Amino acid sequence: MLSLFDDDPSTEDAPTAPVMMSDLQRSEIRSLFESLEVRTAREQFELVAEVTGTRITSVGQLDGATAHRLIARLQSRMANQGRVSTGSSWDDRTEDTWIDRL
């Protein structure tokens, strides 16, 4: 009989390889880069490193989780494109507060 802390070889998880990004994610990233006018591979690799903290040298190195983070952050950049940042989160808010509605 096994106790809670005994090793059970039948339940040990073998390390799994990361799930690579899907074709849909690749297409979405390509579209977002185009919309942001980030066209050269060098610019794209630098932006991937900047927004995800993951430095890659080939698109094939981008796993699904990192691609998901990249897409979210590129979409955020798209949403904020053209907005002037004052450095004040209060002044830069996008929606009115109850004070503004008075």
Side-chain angles (χ1 to χ4, degrees), residues 48-55 69 73:
V48 169
E50 178 185 331
V51 301
T52 67
T54 302
R55 187 163 298 281
R69 284 194 319 271
R73 292 182 179 147

Side-chain angles (χ1 to χ4, degrees), residues 1-29:
M1 176 184 233
L2 293 172
S3 77
L4 181 62
F5 296 99
D6 287 341
D7 290 332
D8 181 3
S10 65
T11 61
E12 287 184 21
D13 292 331
T16 57
V19 176
M20 301 315 288
M21 80 171 149
S22 67
D23 290 338
L24 182 61
Q25 286 175 312
R26 183 184 297 251
S27 176
E28 179 71 15
I29 292 168

Side-chain angles (χ1 to χ4, degrees), residues 49-66:
E50 178 185 331
V51 301
T52 67
T54 302
R55 187 163 298 281
I56 60 171
T57 56
S58 164
V59 175
Q61 295 173 326
L62 202 57
D63 64 45
T66 304

